[in-house]
Amino acid sequence: MAQITNNLLKKKQTADRTSKIVSLTLSWLFSLVFFLLIIFIIVASVPGLQNYGWSIFGSNFDTTANKASFWFPLCITIFVSGLAIIIAAPVGTKTATFIKYRLPVKYQKSVRVAIELLAAIPSVIFGLFACEMLGTVLKYIFHMSTSYNLITTAFMLTFMILPTIVSLSLNALDGVDQTLMGASMVLGNTKTRSIYKVCRKEARNGIAVGVIIAFARAIGETMAVSMILQSQGYNAVFNEGFGAVATSGLRSIGALIAANMFAEGGGPKLQSLLFAFGLFIFIFVMILNGLAMYATKKRNRSKWHWWNTFENKLGSFITFIPTQIRIGWEHLTYRSNINKKKNLSKYLSSRAQNNRFVYTYSVYKIFWEIVSITLTLAFLAWIIIDIIGFGGVALTQSSASVFSFTNNTTGQAFMNTLLIIIIAIGIGLPLSLMIAIYLNEFAKKGKVKKILLFFIDSLGATPTILFGMFGLIFFIQTMGMSAGGAAGKSILAGALTILIVILPVFIRTIQQALQSIPQELRTNSYALGVGKWETIRKIVLPAALQGITTAVILSIGRILAETAPLYLTSGLVSSSSISLINPGQTLTTRIYAQIYTADVHDGTSIMYECAFVTMVLVLLIILVIHVIIPAYYRFKQRRLDNHSKFMRQQQEKFDQVHLSLQKILTSNDVWQRQNYHLIKRPKRPRQPPLPPPTKKTVRKKT
């Protein structure tokens, strides 16, 4: 018996060690991708840096003369991204405030789902909408000669990054202790003042992180921007002044990379220069994200007294005029007969109750909150109606090819997309699962875990165009995963590239699902003698199945939305037959490919056709995540509850019958003891009298 116990214990220990080693190895292999991405891009950018030299940091952009200033496209990128964040930051934070504190709880989930739907729309659909609808409206409002300019791009980026700001701001507000607002209102503040002076200040670190992450996303956006900005005459336009620049179609860094990577007159030197530009933008985004994460930590903020002082003085300077207006309005609208010096408490109480500025402040804040939420939801409704309406019309055109699976059709693009999803999810799910298990179950809180999380989060913040550039160098030019050689494209290379894109979010989502499982389940399992790996496999993973399923669906949505990595690896055209080593356009790359078509009318119709199919798939994904999966698990929980209730009722019935029998027996026993003398006992039969002894009987006895 002891030998059997020792063998079982050894098997459990071996399984625990093996699972830990495998998950740790996969975690470090994934982290190696971060270094490979940087190394390959640096190596690919060396020839371009050698050819263009110090002209990269000059003030002239003319690729024919081997001069390409990095500052021109960088200024354009910062201008459109900065304008977008200036508009999106106040609108997004006020939208989040309205959802959190003004909406009833029963409506909050529906509005949050709508915000997630806006975030899930692919970037090329935003580009199509901006070219066809948004740009036309802005052209009429601002009296511009063309809609393909920086103003249109900035407004498009505003609505693209708006869901990011709203979601992260909501997460920050959810983390605020709600008793703070109650305590503030008890002290005499209104609800609005408590929200903005207490809750918003408490959540400002999380809100600041959301704004900076949104800014980084706007900087890294490529495909949607390249659909609008199509000019490279930086020198001439910049010489005309700021007005000419703002209404021009000069390309940002992302648009410049996407448009010139496979340009006919470019060559390997220009392509190498674009890798250098991609490296610069990668470094810029990493520095931006690193500073945001470091500066918003409370322990770091407490060290920076100079920064806190500077922040307070800057805030006082910005709000100086509004503060003076508020003070003047208060003096005009409030008069008190109470002597402030003699009875300060009574004066303050009267001032808080009768000051009209308090209500003006509340009305002002609520007004802009309503404007913000209305603007966000109106834009969502506008883009959905536009895509569904014009897409439905496009399906009736002669160029419609949804149900055609020949070369360069929407049907074949759908099949290519499905094939990439199957490959990426099939490889990514077990890989993400093992890495998440290591991070949540095996890794201790120390340097190793922090380093791994840093690599995962850094890859998650990397602009997707860089993943496409890495996939082009590594999978196609180095590994040769293409039937056309180093100059070809392939579905397999696109699937592996998109796998790297989705892994950071995939890992983080599964890790959060595992983290939500109560620790008591693991502790109880260990107490019963179950090993760690067996506990994870039989208890933790089944309990986290809903979160893992949601992670899979979210990753599918991310694959549907991506364009830049697939544009550089899978290509913009499809081969005659579907094969892993042949090129194949997806639904989103098919939309982008139509900007190069000669027939504008057919190209626009195909764009709306693919956008319609993609939008329907996105709506289905949102429906599955927020309706079908919760309904399924609610149904399972209800069945389990009903079964438990039935078993409990049966047990109660059995207990009642048993108790009633016990009562009957007990009462009968008590009655018998109390009425013992009344019980009729059976009488013994009378024995006949013995005969008198005789001589024989006496003799026998003796």
Side-chain angles (χ1 to χ4, degrees):
M1 186 68 181
Q3 184 67 26
I4 295 174
T5 305
N6 290 333
N7 291 336
L8 288 174
L9 184 61
K10 287 181 180 179
K11 286 183 180 180
K12 292 177 181 178
Q13 291 175 349
T14 303
D16 293 346
R17 272 197 307 270
T18 304
S19 58
K20 182 177 180 180
I21 292 171
V22 170
S23 59
L24 177 62
T25 304
L26 292 175
S27 301
W28 282 113
L29 286 176
F30 174 70
S31 302
L32 184 63
V33 174
F34 182 78
F35 293 102
L36 289 177
L37 187 144
I38 297 174
I39 291 170
F40 272 87
I41 291 180
I42 290 175
V43 171
S45 63
V46 169
L49 294 172
Q50 291 176 346
N51 183 64
Y52 288 88
W54 291 103
S55 67
I56 295 175
F57 302 102
S59 59
N60 188 12
F61 192 96
D62 186 4
T63 55
T64 58
N66 288 339
K67 293 181 179 180
S69 174
F70 174 70
W71 302 115
F72 286 133
L74 179 62
C75 289
I76 297 298
T77 304
I78 294 176
F79 172 75
V80 293
S81 303
L83 183 58
I85 206 70
I86 287 172
I87 302 172
V91 173
T93 53
K94 283 182 170 55
T95 300
T97 304
F98 184 86
I99 294 172
K100 176 65 180 176
Y101 296 107
R102 309 294 185 187
L103 275 182
V105 178
K106 60 181 179 180
Y107 298 125
Q108 286 187 14
K109 184 177 180 181
S110 301
V111 178
R112 292 191 184 210
V113 171
I115 299 298
E116 290 186 15
L117 175 59
L118 184 60
I121 297 175
S123 59
V124 287
I125 293 183
F126 276 102
L128 171 62
F129 177 76
C131 293
E132 298 297 325
M133 296 297 296
L134 182 62
T136 305
V137 174
L138 294 175
K139 177 183 174 182
Y140 175 77
I141 293 174
F142 294 106
H143 304 286
M144 297 181 294
S145 58
T146 177
S147 59
Y148 293 85
N149 52 48
L150 301 184
I151 302 297
T152 303
T153 306
F155 276 93
M156 179 195 69
L157 289 175
T158 297
F159 292 106
M160 288 184 68
I161 65 178
L162 191 59
T164 303
I165 297 175
V166 174
S167 299
L168 295 178
S169 299
L170 277 171
N171 293 338
L173 293 173
D174 289 338
V176 175
D177 188 2
Q178 298 305 311
T179 58
L180 293 176
M181 189 171 71
S184 175
M185 294 178 67
V186 167
L187 293 174
N189 289 315
T190 61
K191 181 180 180 180
T192 303
R193 188 170 289 275
S194 301
I195 291 170
Y196 281 89
K197 300 300 182 182
V198 179
C199 298
R200 283 279 297 268
K201 280 193 174 182
E202 185 69 18
R204 65 178 179 179
N205 288 343
I207 294 173
V209 169
V211 172
I212 294 174
I213 290 175
F215 183 57
R217 184 191 173 186
I219 290 175
E221 180 53 44
T222 302
M223 307 312 291
V225 174
S226 63
M227 294 175 69
I228 303 173
L229 306 179
Q230 300 175 359
S231 173
Q232 294 181 193
Y234 297 101
N235 296 327
V237 176
F238 269 81
N239 289 332
E240 294 179 6
F242 177 78
V245 173
T247 56
S248 68
L250 293 176
R251 285 174 173 150
S252 62
I253 294 177
L256 191 68
I257 294 173
N260 292 277
M261 183 61 71
F262 304 115
E264 295 181 359
K269 292 182 180 180
L270 178 60
Q271 192 178 77
S272 179
L273 174 70
L274 298 176
F275 278 102
F277 281 8
L279 180 64
F280 293 156
I281 199 67
F282 172 76
I283 294 172
F284 184 77
V285 171
M286 287 296 104
I287 292 174
L288 193 65
N289 284 296
L291 289 175
M293 299 302 175
Y294 185 79
T296 51
K297 288 184 178 179
K298 290 187 177 180
R299 64 178 185 180
N300 294 329
R301 288 179 62 89
S302 61
K303 298 177 183 178
W304 295 356
H305 300 291
W306 63 271
W307 174 259
N308 295 328
T309 304
F310 171 76
E311 187 180 24
N312 292 331
K313 289 184 177 180
L314 181 63
S316 300
F317 174 76
I318 294 173
T319 60
F320 176 77
I321 296 177
T323 302
Q324 297 304 317
I325 294 174
R326 177 180 62 82
I327 294 172
W329 176 258
E330 185 175 350
H331 284 306
L332 290 174
T333 58
Y334 177 67
R335 290 286 185 273
S336 177
N337 297 324
I338 303 171
N339 193 330
K340 181 178 179 180
K341 295 181 179 180
K342 291 183 179 180
N343 198 340
L344 180 61
S345 60
K346 192 174 181 181
Y347 172 82
L348 292 176
S349 176
S350 174
R351 178 169 170 263
Q353 295 175 6
N354 301 319
N355 187 7
R356 297 179 185 176
F357 178 77
V358 175
Y359 304 105
T360 307
Y361 178 84
S362 299
V363 170
Y364 174 79
K365 292 293 185 181
I366 294 173
F367 170 77
W368 285 112
E369 289 174 14
I370 294 173
V371 170
S372 299
I373 187 69
T374 304
L375 186 63
T376 303
L377 297 180
F379 178 81
L380 175 64
W382 187 16
I383 191 171
I384 290 177
I385 293 171
D386 176 71
I387 298 301
I388 298 297
F390 285 98
V393 173
L395 292 176
T396 63
Q397 302 296 320
S398 59
S399 59
S401 56
V402 176
F403 302 104
S404 177
F405 301 97
T406 57
N407 189 20
N408 288 332
T409 58
T410 303
Q412 191 184 41
F414 175 77
M415 296 303 296
N416 293 335
T417 305
L418 185 62
L419 185 59
I420 289 174
I421 289 173
I422 292 172
I423 295 173
I425 297 297
I427 301 174
L429 178 58
L431 186 60
S432 303
L433 193 60
M434 292 303 296
I435 296 174
I437 286 173
Y438 175 77
L439 292 172
N440 195 72
E441 305 296 331
F442 291 108
K444 298 179 181 179
K445 292 183 179 180
K447 291 183 178 180
V448 174
K449 185 174 182 179
K450 288 181 179 179
I451 291 172
L452 291 175
L453 290 175
F454 169 76
F455 289 144
I456 292 170
D457 294 338
S458 298
L459 279 175
T462 303
T464 56
I465 187 66
L466 294 176
F467 289 107
M469 298 167 76
F470 171 73
L472 176 64
I473 303 172
F474 185 74
F475 295 120
I476 294 178
Q477 297 180 359
T478 303
M479 304 295 294
M481 295 183 181
S482 172
K489 305 289 183 296
S490 71
I491 294 176
L492 180 60
L496 295 177
T497 303
I498 210 70
L499 169 65
I500 302 174
V501 175
I502 66 172
L503 273 178
V505 178
F506 212 168
I507 294 169
R508 277 301 206 173
T509 310
I510 295 178
Q511 184 193 2
Q512 290 175 1
L514 297 177
Q515 200 170 4
S516 65
I517 305 304
Q519 186 63 31
E520 289 78 7
L521 291 177
R522 301 174 179 86
T523 306
N524 295 336
S525 178
Y526 300 151
L528 293 173
V530 182
K532 192 161 192 174
W533 173 243
E534 194 173 0
T535 300
I536 295 169
R537 187 165 49 89
K538 293 184 177 180
I539 296 177
V540 177
L541 291 181
L545 188 59
Q546 182 177 358
I548 295 172
T549 306
T550 303
V552 172
I553 303 299
L554 285 173
S555 300
I556 293 174
R558 179 72 185 271
I559 295 172
L560 281 174
E562 288 298 336
T563 307
L566 298 173
Y567 154 66
L568 296 177
T569 52
S570 295
L572 295 179
V573 296
S574 297
S575 60
S576 56
S577 60
I578 298 177
S579 175
L580 291 179
I581 58 174
N582 288 336
Q585 61 179 196
T586 61
L587 290 170
T588 52
T589 56
R590 180 168 171 79
I591 295 174
Y592 184 76
Q594 303 312 310
I595 64 176
Y596 300 106
T597 187
D599 193 336
V600 178
H601 182 268
D602 285 347
T604 304
S605 180
I606 292 173
M607 282 183 178
Y608 272 108
E609 177 188 0
C610 295
F612 178 85
V613 176
T614 308
M615 185 66 77
V616 170
L617 293 176
V618 169
L619 289 171
L620 287 176
I621 288 172
I622 297 296
L623 181 67
V624 168
I625 292 175
H626 294 284
V627 178
I628 296 178
I629 292 178
Y632 172 72
Y633 281 96
R634 280 198 302 270
F635 173 73
K636 285 186 65 176
Q637 187 64 38
R638 191 161 54 248
R639 285 187 60 185
L640 182 62
D641 293 342
N642 291 336
H643 179 71
S644 301
K645 184 178 179 180
F646 174 76
M647 295 300 295
R648 192 165 54 251
Q649 290 174 351
Q650 294 297 319
Q651 184 66 32
E652 289 175 356
K653 288 181 180 179
F654 176 78
D655 292 341
Q656 288 176 358
V657 172
H658 183 67
L659 183 62
S660 62
L661 288 174
Q662 278 188 335
K663 287 182 178 179
I664 292 172
L665 292 174
T666 304
S667 61
N668 189 22
D669 187 46
V670 170
W671 185 85
Q672 288 182 1
R673 284 198 302 269
Q674 292 177 351
N675 302 284
Y676 179 77
H677 62 284
L678 298 176
I679 299 174
K680 293 182 179 181
R681 298 174 183 81
K683 295 181 179 181
R684 293 181 182 180
R686 269 181 95 174
Q687 297 290 339
L690 294 174
T694 60
K695 291 182 178 180
K696 284 185 177 181
T697 56
V698 172
R699 201 178 287 128
K700 284 181 181 179
K701 288 180 181 179
T702 56

